Amino acid sequence: MHQNGTMTDSGDFDAAWLPGTAFRAVGARRSLVRSGPDPLADTVRGELADACARFGGEVVRDGGAAEFLLEVTGGSPDDESYTLRRADGITSLTAPSGRGLLYGLFHVVRLGEGAFSGDLAPRTHRPALATRMLDHWDNVAVHPVMGQVERGYAGGSLFWSDGEARGDLGRVRAYGRLLAACGINAVAVNNVNVHATEARLLTDRIGDVAAIAGALRPYGIRTHLAVSFAAPMLLGGPDTADPLDPAVRDWWARATARVYEAVPDFGGYVVKADSEGRPGPFAYGRSHADGANMLAAALEPHGGTVHWRAFVYDHRQDWRDRSTDRARAAYDHFTPLDGEFADNAVLQVKHGPMDFQVREPVSPLIGAMPDTRLAVELQVTQEYTGQQQHVCWLGPMWSEVLRFRPDGEVPVGRLADGLVAVSNAGDDRFWTGHPLAQANLYTFGRLTWDPAADPRAVLDEWIALTHPDAPDRLAGGLHAILDGSWRTYEKYTAPLGVGFMVQPGHHYGPGVDGYEYSPWGTYHFADRDGVGVDRSVATGTGFAGQYAEPWAKLYESPGTCPDELLLFFHHVPYGHVLHSGKTVIQHIYDTHFEGVEEAEEARRVWAGLSDLVEPERHARVAERFAEQLRGAREWRDQINSYFLRKSGVPDAHGRTIH
Ligand code: GCU
């Protein structure tokens, strides 16, 4: 192993942000854990014992002298808080539950020696959001088009392989451990597009789910399941899925009771209904509140929650129809239902009104339903942001979303009950295909714990944990590569918030007109005179009017709309002058040249770090950079030549446009 190596002892997969050496400070102490029977306190004891075996410390029995005192003080088992202090040479961690103790232990790991020197004034930490969840779009059976993991760029599923649950759950346990260390407490183990095999996880294959839940439980993670709204019809129940039909309700109640027999701490259901062809309540003339509430009623006696997705739009649009606007759809469908959802139903809303593009405004649905519980959905898997071939650290983007104040006052991070994201992890040795994409997973977790956190500070943590003892040059290099990588990606792909322009289907690589005349409603409307979508109230689709003030007014006019969202909200001539002082067309040329140069620079920085990173990790990233550069140049050339040909306006700097 390289001096900074972070492979696990087994060598099967990367230790990511929990290499053994990250536990050096903790493992060198005499520790004492006081707790009544509590499985998570047992996990903490096990962690300490492993660390001590490695670094010479000791887990002492009650009565022994200890420098690190950990205690479960008693309270709700769901209380995830902990209090850390250090005085008189003793570091003490107290928590009402084993859960809190576990999060506290990982906090101490992050602090390293800092947790064992000087004094620390008592401070209580608790997560800002109750639900901190990852959705896996994993198929049990390999899907003919989408494969094992829909939008998965890190090999196969951690849970499923070719129709079967994986027998060895050691890796799932290791995954749960990594997730707990960054704050995640819930995982949905199958794709929101629930196909026939996956539908059965709810019934005769619930044992598979129970096994996975068993591997995640020691790390405080509750397991959730994506279910098909048509499950009764698919699984031998009534031949309708009408949510108001008593037989259907009874079927769900009984199926759910059996789920809880197998998984007593089951988290609940995730549902994609009436969305991209999935079944839903519309077929029966029922509302989405009727649909969600039926499942909420089945879950309620057991303490479960239904996450009902708001990703409902018309995917059979006609591009000539300029009044139908996909961006409007979620708000139009759901706001009339505010106040109608059950207490254990959570509306899960994608952060943007479209679909995880590199730049979108925050969805106007967020904040528009004050009487409905809200979970905001992000996408850690980089479907539209380079598919883990390109380096694109999304921390700054998520942070912008979480800090956005829909009403001008309360930030998104405080409006939501939960944060959910589509996971980017798979059975790849490095978990995420691109080793640097681990930073996205870690950052997402830490932002769920504290949405107001500075993402750069989170990145510091990730760097320090992943590469303990890293010299400043490595940390500096990683910051240089990652800090601006989202903006770099934005620069060489679709400009000024217009979105898409990707190859249809797989969504990798440029396809400027790929979706332009398609039914999916993802248009840019470029012609010889201009580009962008008029979503103003005055002359466009009216989408801008879905926002509260100050945003509605700001987005309504091209004069006040922020440059980076201009083409999302407005159709403007190529000669339109941005706030930056550049014309739209010149901005397109300039950013595309710059984006490629920035990617080249990042690649150079990585090459210069080869003496500080284990060879396998270095080589994997280097390989990805080669593809990123190829891809970035392709994007630059396709976008620039498309707009040169459309507009006929030459580059002011006379550069060659291919
Ligand atoms: C995107 C993605 C799909 C996914 C869908 C969803 O459209 O391309 O693969 O199923 O989002 O979030 O449901």
Side-chain angles (χ1 to χ4, degrees):
M1 194 162 86
H2 187 270
Q3 54 168 346
N4 293 312
T6 57
M7 291 293 165
T8 57
D9 293 335
S10 72
D12 292 342
F13 47 82
D14 187 42
W17 50 87
L18 290 180
T21 38
F23 290 76
R24 190 186 291 130
V26 163
R29 262 69 206 190
R30 287 165 67 86
S31 301
L32 171 63
V33 183
R34 283 200 195 115
S35 163
D38 184 321
L40 272 85
D42 293 342
T43 302
V44 170
R45 271 194 202 92
E47 288 286 343
L48 287 169
D50 287 352
C52 288
R54 196 186 275 257
F55 296 106
E58 195 187 341
V59 185
V60 300
R61 293 185 175 283
D62 217 349
E67 185 188 351
F68 186 20
L69 201 59
L70 302 94
E71 186 168 14
V72 175
T73 52
S76 160
D78 293 329
D79 188 329
E80 298 176 299
S81 69
Y82 59 88
T83 303
L84 180 66
R85 60 172 70 82
R86 182 173 167 88
D88 306 325
I90 296 185
T91 300
S92 85
L93 184 62
T94 51
S97 75
R99 267 170 216 278
L101 206 66
L102 182 67
Y103 292 125
L105 174 67
F106 287 124
H107 186 142
V108 170
V109 168
R110 287 193 293 275
L111 292 177
E113 281 301 328
F116 300 100
S117 55
D119 282 355
L120 294 172
R123 195 170 152 210
T124 300
H125 303 258
R126 54 169 50 87
L129 298 163
T131 303
R132 308 182 299 279
M133 175 150 133
L134 283 168
D135 283 1
H136 278 258
W137 287 356
D138 296 15
N139 297 314
V140 177
V142 175
H143 185 270
V145 180
M146 292 299 173
Q148 188 83 63
V149 181
E150 180 155 336
R151 313 305 180 189
Y153 313 108
S157 165
L158 288 165
F159 309 122
W160 318 103
S161 174
D162 207 5
E164 300 295 331
R166 285 184 181 275
D168 176 7
L169 293 174
R171 181 106 193 232
V172 174
R173 189 182 156 99
Y175 183 55
R177 180 169 179 258
L178 284 170
L179 297 188
C182 63
I184 301 293
N185 68 356
V187 164
V189 295
N190 64 307
N191 192 357
V192 289
N193 294 314
V194 185
H195 309 292
T197 306
E198 291 72 20
R200 290 174 47 207
L201 293 174
L202 177 66
T203 53
D204 58 314
R205 298 192 67 166
I206 191 66
D208 291 348
V209 179
I212 294 169
L216 294 173
R217 186 173 296 118
Y219 286 98
I221 291 167
R222 289 175 88 178
T223 297
H224 297 239
L225 203 57
V227 294
S228 167
F229 192 77
M233 299 161 79
L234 297 170
L235 299 168
D239 60 2
T240 167
D242 182 349
L244 298 191
D245 184 317
V248 172
R249 299 177 74 86
D250 183 57
W251 186 90
W252 275 107
R254 281 185 293 117
T256 305
R258 281 193 302 270
V259 168
Y260 277 89
E261 276 165 29
V263 189
D265 59 348
F266 181 69
Y269 299 138
V270 179
V271 190
K272 171 175 180 176
D274 292 318
S275 168
E276 302 186 327
R278 309 322 299 172
F282 284 163
Y284 310 97
R286 310 300 186 193
S287 77
H288 276 240
D290 294 332
N293 290 347
M294 170 190 61
L295 297 177
L299 289 158
E300 197 275 332
H302 313 283
T305 302
V306 57
H307 281 84
W308 188 268
R309 297 177 84 229
F311 189 52
V312 177
Y313 68 98
D314 178 4
H315 69 291
R316 297 180 198 285
Q317 256 182 255
D318 185 324
W319 59 272
R320 282 156 293 214
D321 162 19
R322 293 237 176 167
S323 62
T324 306
D325 178 5
R326 173 168 162 179
R328 288 189 61 118
Y331 182 103
D332 284 343
H333 281 297
F334 285 94
T335 49
L337 303 177
D338 190 26
E340 291 182 23
F341 287 89
D343 289 346
N344 62 328
V346 177
L347 194 64
Q348 186 166 313
V349 182
K350 288 192 183 188
H351 68 85
M354 297 297 274
D355 195 11
F356 304 132
Q357 300 304 293
V358 69
R359 176 74 69 174
E360 290 187 42
V362 170
S363 167
L365 185 55
I366 296 174
M369 296 179 66
D371 294 322
T372 304
R373 289 177 64 192
L374 166 75
V376 175
E377 184 178 313
L378 308 174
Q379 196 184 44
V380 185
T381 195
Q382 293 170 236
E383 176 178 358
Y384 295 99
T385 49
Q387 303 198 350
Q388 281 136 252
Q389 294 290 333
H390 298 226
V391 58
C392 185
W393 176 55
L394 293 165
M397 171 168 110
W398 298 331
S399 181
E400 276 185 20
V401 169
L402 296 169
R403 290 170 191 225
F404 180 81
R405 296 166 191 268
D407 62 353
E409 283 175 28
V410 186
V412 170
R414 272 203 271 134
L415 281 172
D417 286 36
L419 263 187
V420 178
V422 188
S423 178
N424 67 346
D427 71 353
D428 165 52
R429 179 173 181 74
F430 286 101
W431 299 92
T432 52
H434 198 311
L436 299 180
Q438 290 177 0
N440 280 330
L441 190 54
Y442 184 83
T443 304
F444 169 70
R446 297 291 288 144
L447 289 176
T448 67
W449 184 279
D450 178 10
D454 171 3
R456 276 185 47 111
V458 173
L459 191 58
D460 275 334
E461 274 177 25
W462 175 77
I463 293 171
L465 285 170
T466 307
H467 303 278
D469 310 320
D472 289 351
R473 183 159 65 84
L474 179 56
L478 287 168
H479 270 293
I481 291 165
L482 289 164
D483 286 358
S485 55
W486 164 52
R487 283 177 189 277
T488 298
Y489 189 82
E490 180 181 27
K491 281 183 176 180
Y492 61 74
T493 56
L496 297 166
V498 74
F500 288 91
M501 301 192 167
V502 290
Q503 295 273 332
H506 57 72
H507 298 168
Y508 187 70
V512 181
D513 281 339
Y515 276 110
E516 196 54 14
Y517 305 99
S518 86
W520 294 92
T522 50
Y523 310 127
H524 55 69
F525 297 126
D527 57 22
R528 63 177 194 178
D529 300 317
V531 56
V533 190
D534 185 354
R535 293 191 160 109
S536 69
V537 175
T539 52
T541 69
F543 169 76
Q546 292 185 337
Y547 287 86
E549 296 304 349
W551 307 108
K553 192 153 175 277
L554 189 92
Y555 295 145
E556 174 68 16
S557 146
T560 51
C561 184
D563 284 350
E564 68 270 15
L565 288 171
L566 183 69
L567 302 183
F568 192 93
F569 284 100
H570 298 281
H571 186 90
V572 296
Y574 294 110
H576 175 91
V577 179
L578 297 166
H579 301 296
S580 69
K582 285 185 184 173
T583 61
V584 164
I585 189 71
Q586 195 56 41
H587 172 95
I588 292 175
Y589 297 145
D590 287 353
T591 49
H592 284 77
F593 283 108
E594 279 164 29
V596 172
E597 283 159 19
E598 288 170 14
E600 282 166 349
E601 176 56 19
R603 184 192 194 182
R604 264 194 299 277
V605 173
W606 182 255
L609 300 174
S610 61
D611 56 325
L612 299 177
V613 180
E614 328 89 272
E616 195 183 346
R617 185 188 311 268
H618 195 272
R620 175 76 76 87
V621 174
E623 195 184 291
R624 302 273 149 150
F625 264 125
E627 167 55 20
Q628 178 172 359
L629 257 299
R630 186 208 61 75
R633 291 181 186 127
E634 185 186 12
W635 270 101
R636 174 195 64 196
D637 295 343
Q638 294 246 357
I639 299 277
N640 281 350
S641 58
Y642 179 95
F643 285 105
L644 174 65
R645 288 172 188 175
K646 275 264 150 68
S647 70
V649 180
D651 171 35
H653 306 298
R655 290 164 291 197
T656 306
I657 289 177
H658 295 276

